[in-house]
Amino acid sequence: MSSHSVLQSEVDRLRLQLQTLQVEQGVQNISIGNYLLERLAQLGVTSMFGVPGDFNLGFLDLVEDHSKIEWVGNCNELNAAYAADGYARVKEHSIGVVTTTFGVGELSATNGIAGAFSEMVPVLHIVGTPSTVQQKAKPILHHTLGDGRYEAYRLAAAQFSIFQANLADKNTAAALIDHALTECIKLARPVYVTLPMDMVTQEISSERLKIPLSRSHPLNDHDTEKFVIDLIAERVKEAEGDVVVIVDACVIRHDVRKEVLDLLKETGFPVYATPMGKTAINEDHERYGGIYIGTVTHPDIKKKVEQAKLIISIGGLQSDFNTGNFSYKIPTLRHIELHSTHTKVQYATFAGVEMKQLLPKLGEALKSLHPLVRKFEVPLFVKALPKEDTPVISQLWFWPRLSYFFKPKDVIVTETGTSNFGILEVPLPPGSVLVSQILWGSIGWSVGSCLGAALAARDVGLNRVILFVGDGSLQLTVQEISPMIRLGLKPIIFVLNNSGYTIEKFIHGKKRKYNNIANWKWTELLNVFSEDDKPHKSYTVRTKDELSSLLDDKAFASGDKIQLVEVVMEPLDAPRALKVQTELSAKSDPYKERR
């Protein structure tokens, strides 16, 4: 045999050996539980929320031992679901994860999961279930309904999730996990995964982990997309540059902030936001004009938007509180809508032409109109502190005053009620993130959400986390202050003490006892929930001067510890936008004669 042949033979042997090693590495086994955790780590998940229960404890062993994912541990499952929601809203391109036990735990979390579904927030709900053997035999186990219907909870969950996976077969477990997570990140909706006790440590191939999950959507049909772009360009030219853009919730949920900003830079279009779209665009953007909410809108903004010759809505979600009780005055002939699944140009709908791919090409097609568009002025959205003679802290004064306290990259969490509405007309600094739940509107949501938002903010390098919550709402979910302190989080919590459910009073029953609550010793809460080595401080402010002095205090403003501020306000005082909205809502109240 020639030396060349010997050398070639050795090369072939080494190549075969290398291929064998690669194959062996490629089929290295991993448990189903750890496969799921590795996929979550690949998505940037660092915190898992939930409550331990006997059917998920084996899985929680794996979570606790994982090097990248921290088990948070909540006070109840509802709060855990709220926290997963807040985490996903702040940590974009990741998801929120909540783990509960079968039946009692998962049903407790359902309200939080439904809210995430309603508001299009990507949350994974993992449920530890009885073993596959038990599910087949259907004994009367604890946490069951006692009638053998082990599938009842999954059927319920199907109403609030876009995909449900039962990891009962090791041969399909990896594919089901991948499909569930892909649906979650692509469609920005919750998914539901059940993990039987006896499947947690079953081993499967790790080969699929080498392939990242795809966020890509099918490409827009080229010809249809080009037709739509040409059609929109024609409408814009007909409008002679008199065009405004309205950004809404799905700009945030479907990850098109950059594409929208690029469009605005290319065209110079004036831009306004809905309540659910607030902070989709930095509010110091030179062509940003404020919030549009139909009839609820400030008159100057309302005129600018509704009298434009063409309105382009991006990522619209037209719910009642997001549209001023459906009071948009935008005729279809002057309206173009860009969505995550379709585009509407006046009366025509183009299915499958989605906004993320469309926007860059649209900006390119319209950039020549920039000089024409710039001729149309945009009213400045600026801070304005009203002058009031009374020392009482009014809603009218409170929110503009807070605008001087906010800093770039703050995370601001607001609760259903006065906070959601009060924040709308306040300019927020660049890079700030507003976290609010306007469509689902579950009172108490903001407290659990604040926990998740604070963990996410810490991960992504945002600034302070500031929570505004009413006294009534806080009583529903107050326990979640405890894990905030345990985890070393430092939110500034403003408790608006206005003696009950103010938003409900304005809707119906201003003088009814059912809208009142017991008054707690609010400044004692941090003492109750605190651990000895965790610094904290609480304050009560009753006047404008007291609040201003506190906000101007550098130590307080630094946010170097968790702090709670009780803000005493009048029971029947509310922000302008809330008053107008509830007046509109009251028109459909069948009991309005008894308000």
Side-chain angles (χ1 to χ4, degrees):
M1 183 180 290
S2 69
S3 60
H4 174 75
S5 297
V6 173
L7 181 60
Q8 185 61 49
S9 177
E10 182 65 8
V11 168
D12 290 341
R13 185 187 68 79
L14 291 171
R15 181 183 291 116
L16 180 61
Q17 189 176 22
L18 178 60
Q19 288 173 344
T20 302
L21 287 171
Q22 288 173 336
V23 169
E24 289 174 354
Q25 291 172 355
V27 295
Q28 186 177 9
N29 285 345
I30 188 172
S31 69
I32 291 174
N34 276 321
Y35 183 96
L36 175 54
L37 293 175
E38 286 305 308
R39 276 302 194 202
L40 295 177
Q42 288 177 0
L43 292 176
V45 174
T46 58
S47 297
M48 182 182 293
F49 305 94
V51 177
D54 52 356
F55 293 123
N56 66 26
L57 296 178
F59 176 62
L60 295 191
D61 285 342
L62 303 183
V63 177
E64 186 168 317
D65 293 340
H66 197 274
S67 62
K68 295 180 180 177
I69 298 176
E70 179 181 20
W71 172 251
V72 172
N74 298 87
C75 296
N76 61 54
E77 292 87 356
L78 174 60
N79 289 347
Y82 288 161
D85 180 316
Y87 182 91
R89 289 177 191 245
V90 172
K91 195 168 186 178
E92 295 179 22
H93 308 118
S94 188
I95 64 173
V97 184
V98 56
T99 298
T100 65
T101 196
F102 182 65
V104 293
E106 60 181 300
L107 293 180
S108 180
T110 296
N111 176 44
I113 300 297
F117 185 94
S118 172
E119 301 225 344
M120 291 176 294
V121 181
V123 170
L124 167 64
H125 186 185
I126 303 169
V127 179
T129 66
S131 70
T132 55
V133 174
Q134 290 171 320
Q135 291 189 50
K136 288 176 183 177
K138 301 186 186 305
I140 302 178
L141 289 181
H142 61 289
H143 300 343
T144 70
L145 298 170
D147 59 4
R149 287 186 295 140
Y150 277 67
E151 77 286 357
Y153 312 134
R154 177 185 59 79
L155 294 174
Q159 309 304 311
F160 315 111
S161 56
I162 46 130
F163 184 73
Q164 305 83 44
N166 180 22
L167 306 183
D169 183 347
K170 62 183 293 184
N171 296 312
T172 60
L176 280 174
I177 290 169
D178 288 358
H179 185 61
L181 293 177
T182 300
E183 292 292 283
C184 188
I185 60 179
K186 280 187 176 181
L187 302 179
R189 300 272 193 180
V191 294
Y192 172 88
V193 172
T194 53
L195 181 55
M197 296 171 64
D198 57 339
M199 300 303 294
V200 173
T201 57
Q202 289 282 319
E203 293 203 338
I204 59 175
S205 169
S206 64
E207 187 173 2
R208 294 178 66 104
L209 289 173
K210 297 178 180 179
I211 305 171
L213 298 177
S214 173
R215 300 176 181 271
S216 301
H217 291 261
L219 294 177
N220 291 344
D221 178 76
H222 177 269
D223 292 340
T224 308
E225 184 181 64
K226 185 177 184 307
F227 179 82
V228 169
I229 290 170
D230 291 344
L231 187 60
I232 294 175
E234 187 178 329
R235 297 289 89 84
V236 172
K237 289 174 184 175
E238 289 174 356
E240 299 176 312
D242 188 6
V243 180
V244 301
V245 169
I246 300 176
V247 292
D248 209 333
C250 292
V251 169
I252 302 169
R253 305 292 191 268
H254 292 283
D255 189 29
V256 294
R257 289 180 195 259
K258 181 183 182 303
E259 290 81 358
V260 170
L261 183 59
D262 288 346
L263 173 75
L264 297 173
K265 288 179 178 177
E266 294 272 21
T267 61
F269 288 149
V271 58
Y272 301 83
T274 66
M276 292 181 72
K278 189 172 172 68
T279 68
I281 294 293
N282 278 345
E283 298 193 353
D284 67 340
H285 180 73
E286 61 173 339
R287 302 284 282 170
Y288 178 72
I291 299 291
Y292 177 70
I293 336 173
T295 301
V296 180
T297 311
H298 187 282
D300 292 344
I301 297 173
K302 187 173 186 293
K303 181 179 178 181
K304 282 287 185 180
V305 172
E306 295 180 357
Q307 290 187 3
K309 292 181 180 177
L310 188 68
I311 297 95
I312 301 176
S313 297
I314 306 179
L317 203 165
Q318 295 190 11
S319 68
D320 53 356
F321 281 10
N322 203 37
T323 63
N325 223 48
F326 312 112
S327 60
Y328 271 23
K329 301 297 182 184
I330 305 175
T332 303
L333 278 172
R334 292 193 282 123
H335 200 188
I336 293 170
E337 300 179 43
L338 310 185
H339 295 278
S340 62
T341 58
H342 65 281
T343 298
K344 292 182 70 175
V345 182
Q346 298 164 305
Y347 291 98
T349 299
F350 300 91
V353 178
E354 62 98 5
M355 59 186 175
K356 191 170 183 68
Q357 299 171 47
L358 180 72
L359 282 164
K361 299 167 188 175
L362 187 61
E364 181 68 24
L366 299 177
K367 66 181 182 180
S368 63
L369 298 174
H370 191 279
L372 181 63
V373 170
R374 294 287 299 196
K375 294 179 181 179
F376 293 90
E377 295 182 357
V378 182
L380 292 176
F381 188 51
V382 296
K383 301 175 183 178
L385 189 62
K387 293 182 179 180
E388 291 185 332
D389 295 332
T390 172
V392 173
I393 301 171
S394 68
Q395 295 278 350
L396 180 66
W397 179 88
F398 178 75
W399 297 103
R401 177 62 184 87
L402 262 296
S403 69
Y404 294 88
F405 176 72
F406 297 138
K407 299 177 182 179
K409 299 179 72 175
D410 277 345
V411 177
I412 300 159
V413 185
T414 57
E415 174 61 55
T416 295
T418 57
S419 301
N420 272 359
F421 287 88
I423 200 71
L424 294 180
E425 296 176 349
V426 174
L428 300 180
S432 58
V433 177
L434 176 64
V435 180
S436 62
Q437 193 191 57
I438 290 172
L439 174 54
W440 188 244
S442 182
I443 61 173
W445 165 87
S446 69
V447 185
S449 183
C450 180
L451 167 64
L455 286 166
R458 187 169 67 182
D459 281 356
V460 299
L462 291 170
N463 196 9
R464 305 171 302 178
V465 176
I466 304 169
L467 169 63
F468 295 95
V469 59
D471 52 349
S473 295
L474 181 56
Q475 291 192 0
L476 273 76
T477 50
V478 67
Q479 315 96 304
E480 231 47 41
I481 292 176
S482 174
M484 292 180 196
I485 295 174
R486 172 168 50 84
L487 295 167
L489 302 174
K490 303 169 184 177
I492 300 173
I493 303 170
F494 288 92
V495 182
L496 309 188
N497 183 354
N498 49 18
S499 303
Y501 303 120
T502 297
I503 185 172
E504 310 292 7
K505 291 176 181 179
F506 274 87
I507 293 172
H508 185 93
K510 282 187 176 180
K511 298 181 180 180
R512 291 291 182 177
K513 290 186 288 186
Y514 51 66
N515 281 328
N516 297 330
I517 62 168
N519 189 36
W520 290 0
K521 295 179 180 178
W522 301 104
T523 54
E524 294 299 316
L525 289 179
L526 298 187
N527 289 329
V528 171
F529 294 119
S530 180
E531 298 181 3
D532 292 339
D533 60 339
K534 300 294 171 63
H536 59 85
K537 197 161 186 179
S538 298
Y539 313 82
T540 296
V541 293
R542 300 177 182 276
T543 68
K544 292 183 175 72
D545 286 345
E546 289 175 353
L547 177 59
S548 285
S549 294
L550 181 62
L551 296 179
D552 292 338
D553 182 87
K554 290 182 179 180
F556 171 76
S558 70
D560 62 350
K561 63 178 77 71
I562 186 169
Q563 298 173 98
L564 183 147
V565 183
E566 177 190 10
V567 184
V568 179
M569 308 179 90
E570 293 294 319
L572 291 178
D573 185 20
R576 182 200 67 84
L578 175 57
K579 291 178 180 178
V580 177
Q581 174 64 57
T582 53
E583 286 170 6
L584 293 171
S585 299
K587 291 180 180 178
S588 59
D589 180 3
Y591 307 110
K592 57 189 173 189
E593 69 278 0
R594 288 189 277 161
R595 290 182 74 220

